[in-house]
Amino acid sequence: MSSLRSLDENLISHIPPFRKLERVDIREILDAATPKRFSAGQAIFEEHEPAERFFLLLDGHVRVIRTTASGDQVIARHIVSGELMGIASAIGRTTYPASAVAIDDCLVLFWPTSLWKTFVEKYDGFATETYKTVGERISEANNHILELATQQVEQRVARALLRLAIQSSRITDEGMEIDFPLTRQNISEMTGTTLYTVSRLLSAWEKQGIVNSGRKKVIVTEMNKLKTLADLDPMADS
Amino acid sequence: MSSLRSLDENLISHIPPFRKLERVDIREILDAATPKRFSAGQAIFEEHEPAERFFLLLDGHVRVIRTTASGDQVIARHIVSGELMGIASAIGRTTYPASAVAIDDCLVLFWPTSLWKTFVEKYDGFATETYKTVGERISEANNHILELATQQVEQRVARALLRLAIQSSRITDEGMEIDFPLTRQNISEMTGTTLYTVSRLLSAWEKQGIVNSGRKKVIVTEMNKLKTLADLDPMADS
DNA sequence: CGTCGTGTTGACTGCCATCAAAAGTAGTGG
DNA sequence: CCACTACTTTTGATGGCAGTCAACACGACG
C-alpha cells in the first residue's frame, strides 16, 4: 500500500514496545527505519558479527541459532512477527550472540544500533517494554536449562512442540498446524537430541493420534495428550 | 570499623555498577541501603516471591537455585562478592525467578525495589553497567544450554569446575582450591547429572592427578588437563 | 525421470542413571 | 577422648534410554 519511503503507521503501532507511543513518535521511528526482505534460508545476522543494527520482524518466521566449536547447532528460539531481534545493544553487547536465519520469506525493519540509546531516552515506555522482553527471554532460557537438565527426551520434545503450537500455529480442521516448515532435525536441535529419536517419537505419537506429521510439517491434533506427555507424565503403560 | 548506620564508602566504590559514581552519590546510595548477615544455608530470597528488594553481595558466596515441579533442583549460578543479585526489577519482573541461598556466612546490602528506578535515572552509568551484567548472565545461560544440548557429562563437569576455579578459588600450594564448600551433589546439580557420576569422574581425575578432592572440597591441580577434557577432547586412550 | 533433501526403521552399542551397600569424615555431646 | 549420628563419598552391579550407523522409502522439484 505505502511506498518504501513512507511506511504505514499501523504496521507497528500495536506492537508492545511502541504501543504506548504517540503517532508523531511512531512516524519518526518509521522514518528512521529501513525495510528489508529476506527470502527463506537467508541469514539476517550472524553470531559474533558486530551488532550494527537491531531489527523488528514484521512478517515471516526467524530461527535463532548457535553453533558450537565442533559444529553442532542448537536452535535457541523462534521469532514470530511483531518481535524485536538483534537487540544485543540493549544489554551492552557489541556483537550478536547468535545467528538469525529466515525460515520463510520475511519482512523486517531495521535501525542502526546507534539509535537504540535515542529510542530508550526519547520514547517513554520503549525501554520498559523491551526490558520486559529481555526478561521473558531470560526466563525462557532458564526454563530450557531446567528441562535439559532434568527431563527425558520425550518430555522435552513434547514441550517444544507444545510451545510452537501455542506460539505459532494456525488452526485447521485436523488440529493446530505449526505454521512454518519444521523438520525432524530442527526439532532435534531445539531439544538436544537426534533427528532419529524425534522421528521415532513422532511415529509413535502418530499411532496414538496425538500428532499428524509429514514432510516439514507437524500438526498437533490432541493438545491434551501432548500436555500429559510434557508434564510429570504418570507414565502410561503405552 | 564503621557502624551499621554509616557504611564505609570504599565498600562499594570499586564495584562495577558504582565505579563511575561520585562520592556524594555513593554516600546517598549507602545511606539508603540496609546491611544484613545471612548464615550458611539460609535463604536470601525465594523463587516466586514478590521481588521487593535487590541485593549486593559484599562477602560470602550464594547459590542461585531453581526447582522443578517434580522436586529436582538445578543450580543456575553462583554469586561471588561484589555482584548484584535479585535484580528481577531490572528486567520488568515482579517476582524472583529463582531462589538464592547463602553457601557460607554472607554479608549483603539491600534496597527496596522501588529505588531501582531512581538509581537508573539518577546515577549515570548505573543502568549501563547493570544491563551489561544482565547481558553477561544471558550469555552464560545460553552457553549452558549449548553445553547441556551438545556435550557429554564428562565435558560438562570439567567445564563447571573450570568456571568455578576461575571465578572463585584461592591458590594453594596444591593448586586452585574452590573457596566454598562444594559437594558431588552440588556439582551434579550444576551439570544435569547425578552425584554418582560426578564421584566417579572425580575419582578418575584424581588418579590422573588432575584434581585433588575431598569432603565438600575440590582443588584443581592441573588446569591444562582439565581444559583438555572440557574442550573437544581428542579422547585420550586413558 | 533422476536427484537431493527428508523421513523411517531396524540392529546394535554405550553412556550414564539407578539401586544398594559400605566406608570415610565432621561434628556432637557424653 | 570416644562413641554416636548425620552427612558425604565411593564403588560395584545392573539396566535402559537414547545415540549411532546403515539401509531404504518417500516426496518435491527441476
Side-chain angles (χ1 to χ4, degrees), chain A residues 112-125:
Chain A
T113 297
S114 55
L115 279 184
W116 182 269
K117 201 157 170 286
T118 317
F119 279 25
V120 166
E121 285 166 3
K122 193 162 173 188
Y123 305 120
D124 208 30

Side-chain angles (χ1 to χ4, degrees), chain B residues 104-161:
Chain B
D104 38 26
D105 291 350
C106 288
L107 175 59
V108 309
L109 295 183
F110 68 82
W111 296 265
T113 297
S114 54
L115 278 185
W116 182 269
K117 201 158 170 288
T118 317
F119 279 24
V120 166
E121 285 166 3
K122 195 162 171 189
Y123 306 119
D124 206 32
F126 179 81
T128 317
E129 288 296 325
T130 53
Y131 284 126
K132 203 177 287 180
T133 304
V134 170
E136 281 156 16
R137 297 204 185 159
I138 295 181
S139 294
E140 278 176 31
N142 285 326
N143 289 337
H144 201 169
I145 290 174
L146 213 61
E147 284 182 21
L148 285 167
T150 66
Q151 303 191 315
Q152 307 270 92
V153 168
E154 182 173 43
Q155 296 177 52
R156 301 206 304 265
V157 173
R159 291 204 172 199
L161 286 187

Side-chain angles (χ1 to χ4, degrees), chain A residues 167-227:
Chain A
Q167 185 196 28
S168 188
S169 71
R170 67 174 147 260
I171 294 173
T172 70
D173 44 1
E174 289 183 88
M176 302 179 75
E177 174 171 3
I178 290 161
D179 65 358
F180 57 85
L182 184 71
T183 66
R184 310 292 186 259
Q185 168 118 24
N186 291 330
I187 298 175
S188 74
E189 287 169 354
M190 296 177 65
T191 52
T193 178
T194 62
L195 73 103
Y196 307 106
T197 299
V198 172
S199 177
R200 282 182 232 276
L201 285 172
L202 288 183
S203 295
W205 292 346
E206 188 120 25
K207 280 183 191 126
Q208 299 175 251
I210 298 173
V211 301
N212 199 331
S213 72
R215 190 189 171 82
K216 294 191 181 184
K217 184 186 67 158
V218 179
I219 305 172
V220 178
T221 52
E222 286 279 3
M223 284 293 267
N224 288 333
K225 286 190 187 169
L226 198 55
K227 272 183 193 151

Side-chain angles (χ1 to χ4, degrees), chain A residues 143-163 187-188 190-194 197-198 201 205 226 229-231 233, chain B residues 148-150 156 192:
Chain A
N143 289 335
H144 201 170
I145 290 174
L146 213 60
E147 285 183 20
L148 286 166
T150 66
Q151 304 191 314
Q152 307 268 92
V153 167
E154 183 173 42
Q155 296 177 51
R156 301 207 303 266
V157 173
R159 290 203 173 198
L161 286 186
L162 268 181
R163 271 196 297 264
I187 298 175
S188 74
M190 296 177 65
T191 52
T193 178
T194 62
T197 299
V198 172
L201 285 172
W205 292 346
L226 198 55
L229 291 172
D231 289 338
D233 54 344
Chain B
L148 285 167
T150 66
R156 301 206 304 265

Side-chain angles (χ1 to χ4, degrees), chain B residues 66-86:
Chain B
R66 294 202 57 193
T67 308
T68 65
S70 42
D72 301 288
Q73 278 197 354
V74 168
I75 297 179
R77 56 194 320 276
H78 285 96
I79 309 254
V80 299
S81 315
E83 286 189 84
L84 288 173
M85 54 184 179

